[in-house]
């Protein structure tokens, strides 16, 4: 590694002069022509500051840790990591990531490894909106939960999640605006998905506000958010003589199952059946024919907020008493071609 002494010897000045110039403290203390030469030589030799050594002096590592549970291996959720990384870089921070890939026993060693590197805050990211068990860390370390809520409601942690109720309401309102009144909802049964109750709430709220009675017979459930589970629910719903004219699906993958069953039953989308999904999964929503109108999960925006909040906490810039903060991130509609007036 190129050192300050290497630059000083090449220019013929003291190490302190080089330090002043490269730390932007040389104005009025080092002649301009000498400062220019120091910068030229530093660039030519490829000098980069030793942040580890600087951190020992300043007691700041300019590093935040991020522990994720499989997020790095989920393509459409990876935008959370991209958002967090770019937001950290904008503040001059490094994001240090460890992904546990679905192995909870790795979480404690991962937290220790990050603490040993003197991180200034910790972000804990979930692969979907759920309750999160926080790792044991010192009380003084700021923690932000990304795409989840602390399992312990009294935990000292900030958190950010999608506005599931608002997103489901927007999806249902889109179908109502197209003229539909018999609108079904395909939910999931697995209670690990916190969003299941929230999205149903948004669906029912939109119907009631439009003066449409909520019909329990139009609510079906898939075991998990997958195309296979979606097909089972779709056969049950679309095989009826009084089938709905539109369906709001818990996820894009479930919507894919409805597309497949609709094709088998000879139902044309959207002329005979309108469908709206949730997620805006890049490898699903855009790939279906016609393209799936869906709700965008705000992964990138959530990642940005989590990193910014973690850094603000580490700097003491949150301007409050220290009470945990939380954010519901809006979920916008992504319009494609799967919605039309009732046929």
């Amino acid at each position: 590694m190129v050192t300050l002494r290497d630059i000083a010897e090449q220019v013929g000045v003291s190490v302190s002069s080089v330090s002043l110039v490269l730390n932007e403290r040389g104005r009025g203390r080092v002649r301009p022509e000498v400062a220019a030469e120091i910068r030229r030589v530093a660039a030519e030799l490829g000098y980069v500051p030793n942040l580890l050594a600087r951190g020992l002096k300043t007691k700041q590592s300019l590093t935040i840790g991020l522990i994720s549970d499989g997020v790095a291996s989920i393509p459409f959720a990876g935008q959370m990591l991209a958002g967090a990384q770019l937001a950290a870089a904008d503040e001059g921070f490094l994001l240090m990531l460890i992904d546990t890939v679905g192995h909870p026993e790795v979480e404690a060693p991962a937290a220790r490894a990050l603490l040993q590197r003197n991180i200034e805050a910790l972000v804990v990211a979930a692969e979907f909106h759920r309750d999160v068990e926080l790792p044991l860390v010192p009380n003084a370390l700021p923690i932000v939960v990304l795409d989840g809520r602390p399992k312990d409601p009294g935990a000292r942690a900030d958190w950010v999640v999608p506005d599931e109720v608002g997103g489901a309401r927007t999806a249902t309102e889109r179908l109502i605006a197209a003229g539909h009144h018999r609108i079904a909802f395909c939910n999931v049964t697995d209670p690990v998905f916190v969003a299941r109750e929230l999205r149903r709430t948004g669906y029912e709220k939109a119907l009631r506000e439009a003066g449409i009675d909520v019909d329990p017979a139009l609510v079906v459930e898939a075991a998990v958010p997958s195309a296979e589970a979606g097909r089972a629910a779709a056969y049950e719903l679309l095989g009826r003589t009084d089938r709905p004219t539109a369906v709001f699906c818990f996820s894009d993958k479930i919507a894919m199952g409805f597309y497949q069953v609709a094709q088998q039953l000879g139902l044309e989308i959207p002329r005979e059946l309108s469908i709206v999904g949730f997620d805006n999964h890049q490898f699903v929503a855009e790939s279906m024919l016609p393209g799936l109108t869906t709700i965008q999960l705000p992964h990138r925006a959530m990642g940005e907020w989590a990193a910014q909040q973690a850094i603000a906490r580490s700097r003491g810039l949150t301007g409050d008493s220290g009470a945990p903060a939380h954010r519901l991130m809006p979920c916008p509609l992504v319009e494609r071609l799967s919605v039309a007036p009732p046929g």
Side-chain angles (χ1 to χ4, degrees):
M1 178 178 289
V2 177
T3 66
L4 297 181
R5 185 173 299 281
D6 295 329
I7 299 169
E9 290 176 354
Q10 178 113 353
V11 179
V13 296
S14 66
V15 172
S16 61
S17 294
V18 175
S19 177
L20 286 170
V21 171
L22 297 184
N23 285 291
E24 304 298 334
R25 293 186 289 112
R27 184 185 294 269
R29 305 168 77 175
V30 180
R31 295 197 313 274
E33 62 272 19
V34 174
E37 180 65 8
I38 289 172
R39 293 190 184 94
R40 186 192 68 79
V41 171
E44 187 176 90
L45 295 179
Y47 170 78
V48 291
N50 188 328
L51 295 180
L52 179 60
R54 181 179 294 178
L56 292 173
K57 292 181 180 180
T58 64
K59 307 299 184 185
Q60 293 181 317
S61 66
L62 297 181
T63 302
I64 59 175
L66 190 151
I67 296 177
S68 74
D69 181 15
V71 176
S73 61
I74 301 175
F76 83 116
Q79 282 294 314
M80 288 196 299
L81 304 183
Q85 181 172 305
L86 290 173
D90 285 345
E91 296 292 335
F93 274 66
L94 173 70
L95 183 73
M96 188 173 291
L97 165 69
I98 299 179
D99 195 292
T100 62
V101 198
H103 296 284
E105 69 277 8
V106 178
E107 187 175 272
R112 286 196 298 271
L114 292 172
L115 290 171
Q116 288 168 351
R117 284 153 180 82
N118 197 31
I119 58 171
E120 297 189 36
L122 178 65
V123 175
V124 180
E127 75 275 33
F128 57 85
H129 184 176
R130 61 179 175 82
D131 293 331
V132 176
E133 193 80 52
L134 298 180
L136 291 175
V137 297
N139 288 333
L141 186 74
I143 301 181
V144 180
V145 182
L146 172 54
D147 201 12
R149 306 169 189 241
K151 194 169 187 179
D152 176 5
R156 177 199 49 81
D158 301 326
W159 48 270
V160 56
V161 296
D163 181 2
E164 308 278 7
V165 173
R169 181 179 176 182
T170 297
T172 310
E173 286 174 343
R174 175 65 185 92
L175 293 168
I176 293 170
H180 295 276
H181 287 79
R182 286 188 55 74
I183 302 170
F185 174 46
C186 183
N187 206 352
V188 291
T189 59
D190 193 334
V192 72
F193 296 99
V194 173
R196 63 190 294 270
E197 294 299 333
L198 299 174
R199 294 182 189 178
R200 177 162 184 167
T201 296
Y203 159 75
E204 293 181 351
K205 181 177 290 189
L207 292 178
R208 291 193 178 100
E209 289 176 351
I212 301 172
D213 291 335
V214 177
D215 184 352
L218 292 179
V219 178
V220 294
E221 294 181 321
V224 293
S226 69
E228 181 180 7
R231 286 194 297 272
Y235 279 120
E236 175 192 345
L237 187 67
L238 302 183
R240 303 174 185 173
T241 55
D242 61 343
R243 63 174 176 80
T245 61
V247 182
F248 165 44
C249 296
F250 177 88
S251 74
D252 291 350
K253 287 187 176 180
I254 287 178
M256 178 187 288
F258 271 78
Y259 265 62
Q260 294 166 345
V261 171
Q263 182 180 29
Q264 292 176 354
L265 296 178
L267 298 175
E268 183 181 339
I269 300 172
R271 188 175 64 84
E272 296 174 284
L273 179 69
S274 289
I275 300 179
V276 175
F278 205 116
D279 291 344
N280 197 28
H281 193 303
Q282 65 187 93
F283 299 132
V284 177
E286 291 182 353
S287 302
M288 289 192 280
L289 290 175
L292 177 65
T293 294
T294 185
I295 299 296
Q296 173 75 58
L297 275 175
H299 285 127
R300 192 182 191 91
M302 290 193 298
E304 291 174 353
W305 187 91
Q308 290 164 353
Q309 182 69 7
I311 292 169
R313 285 283 188 194
S314 73
R315 291 173 168 171
L317 300 177
T318 49
D320 57 27
S321 61
H326 67 271
R327 177 75 178 269
L328 292 177
M329 201 64 69
C331 300
L333 181 76
V334 179
E335 189 78 54
R336 293 194 179 91
L337 300 173
S338 62
V339 176

